[in-house]
Amino acid sequence: MTSHESEPRQSEVPPGGTAFGVMLRSLRRAARLTLEELSETSGVSVRALGDLERGRSRGPQRRTVDALAAALRLDEEQCERLQRLADAGRERGGAPASPYLLRTVPDFTGREQELAGLEALVNGTRTRAAVLFGPGGQGKTTLAAEAVRRLSGAFPDGCVCVQLHGMSESPLPAAEALVLLLTALGHPPDRIPVDPVAREAVYRAALAGRRALVVLDDAADESQTRPLLPDAEGSFVLVTSRRPLAGLEGVRRIRLGGLSGGESARLLERILGTPRTGGQPEAITRLTELCGHLPLALRIVGNRLSSRPSWTPARLVGQLADEERRLSALVAGDLAVRSALALSYGQLTDPHRMLLRRLALLPGHDTGPDLAAVLGGEDPLTTEDSLDLLVDRGLLEETSPRRYALHDLVRLFARERLRDEEGDPDTVHIKVADWLLRSASAAGRLFEAPDTAPQSWTGEPAPFTPASAAEAEQWLTTERAHWAGALPVMSAAGRHREILHTARTLYWFSDRWDTWPEWRTLFSHGVRSAAALGDRAAEAYQLNCLAWTYSVSDGRHQEAEEHARRALELATKAGDVAQQAWASTYIAGACMSLDRPAEAAEAAENAVRLFATTGDEAGQVVSQRVLGSALREAGRAEEALALHLALLGARAGDVPGFQEFAEAIVRHQIARDLLALERWSEAAQAFRAVMAPVTHGGTSRFQARALAGLATALEQCGELTDAHANFTEAHRLFITAGDTTSAAETASALARLAETSG
């Protein structure tokens, strides 16, 4: 509905008065001046002053306003507001009016939940005010206009709108806003009290006697808004603000975030029309992502494409994909994302600006107070207060309790400010990266064997030091994008010893979450750092770790073998028997996955011999288990079963949780041995006894393999219903784990069962 007749009645000043005139009268009376006295002081005639106050002259020139401001002894902010009202009067060319009307848009999209919430509030009897709040660019004013349009039928006395200029350098004081509201409600201008308290009482009485909708757009804070709220049933006040105005009593708060993906695409389609967007769903989707689903950015993109008929959405995608140019590209006429963000940024204190800028240095999506405190140099409690303030100002999002994230476009803005205001941030960047690796090492040490020799690593501020393994695991899991992102920073700074320290300390913890992609990042940097230091033994160690992650995490067995053979070569030159043993173990595992069981068995036997000389109990268990698996794949399942049975209960060292993990893996291998021997009933029983290692995360793939083995045994036993159920669950878990090859195999097994049953 966009016709003139469909628009609700909105007003701010009734016929016979203007905002400028009402304000001038109020200021004159507050100064206790008569028309004659003001005329004498300002040099403006009494007749001209009377015409201005009565609204006959709507927009005086700047020199007149300056003369009046000097005579009234107005400060700079008051003078600016008076001038703004004069400018608005001149722009309207003498039409009656209203300096501020909410404007609806014909392509309004989304926000149905918020509108439904407002409708419920309007039709209720308790809450008589609501605050629409959220970051700049979320469309708060546009939503308020749509709410006025939809809800106008519930307010027979019309709608009153006031722009409070909360984001400007001179927000409209509540006392002056009351003048505008009272005149808009039909109160005679010459009967508006000079005293602000009396003025507020008159305003509330006027609201109580009618059913009107009052919109207070762009509120700065509670002190500006509180005097403008109703205290009786009847009228309803809708406030828009970038802040939640948490200090206001008796209001409902509705936070505006980004649009959904579907809503974002529909908004672009409504702006551009189907002919421009049809057949290009990928480009439209990418545009919405690059806009961060921010309504202002989407409108800018739509308007830019509308003004360039020859441009395709894909062309604009190319411009916005460059992060360095994105904010500059998100401009259309007087609409600009950067300007909207700059308004909020400009109202922050220097410490809060610094914190916001430096948050752009963090590689992860969100952060907690401990890490953010390193950026700003404050303690975590003070930093948490600062983070909450940035949330209130709409520049930060609280994604979960005590976790904070920058919107993508805010991150780009903060990065620009960091570059422009702090120059080279390398010192801070390295300080944060150093803290992250020290904290990761402190957490990782809780998963090493108790007798592992401690390594000293000093630095300020003090690292995060977990009190328990559970707390350490939580930190390493939550902050993994950050500590992994710190590695290239430390590498570029030549901090190779610190990188090696972290890689070694996290060695045993990596086994608990073996599918994390961060391990390849960590151990790749470990290899490069060891090479940079010329330490062959350390390089062999890191190559072995890298071979493990290529094999276990990525299933890239050819590359795993290459890394393990390089590790074996370096470890042999360095005389490091332990790393020779681990390299042989990883070579065996890779050869087995590459269908070369005889080579796998030979490499595993070599690993067993080498581990026997080092006394590494964990290594002996692992290498013997791999040897058994290689024997089975080579057609020697009886030998494999005997070897695996002998490993049950074998001591696997003192690494926390590794004994249980090794036991679970051995039991799984025993079940597979029985399956290879076609001892179906025993295999089914053995697979049922396999339990996922509770000390290790990411066990979906392990459970899926056990269930698939159980289903295979049950199928051979003729228990087709149970086999189908276990194949189905295994298929689901393989998909969850991202193992598409195994998922396809279980899907084929399900199809085979369906054909057999049919």
Side-chain angles (χ1 to χ4, degrees), residues 519-520 523-524 527 542-551 563:
W519 301 130
R520 195 195 321 163
F523 299 131
S524 293
V527 170
Q542 296 303 306
L543 281 165
N544 275 328
C545 294
L546 198 55
W548 167 82
T549 193
Y550 269 110
S551 179
H563 285 96

Side-chain angles (χ1 to χ4, degrees), residues 520 543 546-551 554-566 590 594:
R520 195 195 321 163
L543 281 165
L546 198 55
W548 167 82
T549 193
Y550 269 110
S551 179
D554 302 330
R556 294 160 61 176
H557 305 293
Q558 184 64 51
E559 290 165 275
E561 182 184 3
E562 292 170 2
H563 285 96
R565 291 196 181 280
R566 175 63 179 155
L594 293 169

Side-chain angles (χ1 to χ4, degrees), residues 484-485 487-488 517-526 528 546:
L487 294 165
E518 285 79 9
W519 301 130
R520 195 195 321 163
T521 303
L522 174 63
F523 299 131
S524 293
H525 277 286
R528 288 194 286 271
L546 198 55

Side-chain angles (χ1 to χ4, degrees), residues 109-306:
T109 302
R111 305 300 192 195
E112 295 302 325
Q113 182 176 349
E114 291 86 351
L115 287 165
L118 286 172
E119 183 176 4
L121 290 176
V122 165
N123 293 329
T125 57
R126 296 179 63 85
T127 303
R128 305 311 304 159
V131 177
L132 294 176
F133 75 98
Q138 293 290 6
K140 297 178 291 294
T141 299
T142 302
L143 175 56
E146 183 67 12
V148 170
R149 186 183 73 79
R150 295 195 189 187
L151 302 174
S152 59
F155 298 100
D157 293 315
C159 173
V160 178
C161 309
V162 171
Q163 167 61 266
L164 297 179
H165 300 286
M167 295 307 297
S168 72
E169 295 181 358
S170 54
L172 185 69
E176 295 181 20
L178 284 168
V179 173
L180 299 178
L181 287 167
L182 282 168
T183 54
L185 290 168
H187 196 81
D190 58 352
R191 295 178 60 188
I192 294 176
V194 174
D195 178 62
V197 176
R199 191 180 295 176
E200 184 178 336
V202 171
Y203 165 71
R204 288 212 166 91
L207 284 185
R210 63 188 75 200
R211 186 161 177 79
L213 176 60
V214 177
V215 179
L216 308 175
D217 192 28
D218 190 20
D221 53 32
E222 291 86 347
S223 63
Q224 183 193 36
T225 311
R226 187 177 287 108
L228 312 180
L229 298 180
D231 60 2
E233 296 182 10
S235 294
F236 189 89
V237 172
L238 179 59
V239 185
T240 73
S241 178
R242 296 197 182 190
R243 307 179 189 180
L245 306 182
L248 295 181
E249 309 85 359
V251 304
R252 183 69 58 86
R253 292 170 182 83
I254 300 176
R255 186 184 188 280
L256 294 193
L259 298 176
S260 69
E263 289 172 336
S264 298
R266 283 196 298 276
L267 178 55
L268 287 180
E269 289 166 2
R270 296 190 69 183
I271 295 172
L272 294 170
T274 304
R276 293 287 301 278
T277 60
Q280 302 185 68
E282 292 183 3
I284 293 298
T285 298
R286 184 59 180 146
L287 278 178
T288 64
E289 293 169 349
L290 291 170
C291 289
H293 304 290
L294 185 73
L296 174 60
L298 292 165
R299 171 123 352 240
I300 289 170
V301 163
N303 289 0
R304 287 197 67 190
L305 288 172
S306 294

Side-chain angles (χ1 to χ4, degrees), residues 485-501:
L487 294 165
V489 177
M490 295 289 276
S491 180
R495 304 284 290 274
H496 300 300
R497 295 190 185 282
E498 289 89 338
I499 291 173
L500 279 178
H501 183 177

Side-chain angles (χ1 to χ4, degrees), residues 280 283 287 305 308 310-321:
Q280 302 185 68
L287 278 178
L305 288 172
R308 302 284 203 289
S310 63
W311 283 23
T312 64
R315 174 171 176 174
L316 195 51
V317 166
Q319 287 189 12
L320 296 179

Side-chain angles (χ1 to χ4, degrees), residues 323-335:
E323 289 190 348
E324 296 300 321
R325 298 175 55 199
R326 191 175 306 165
L327 289 180
S328 295
L330 287 174
V331 176
D334 61 348
L335 298 179

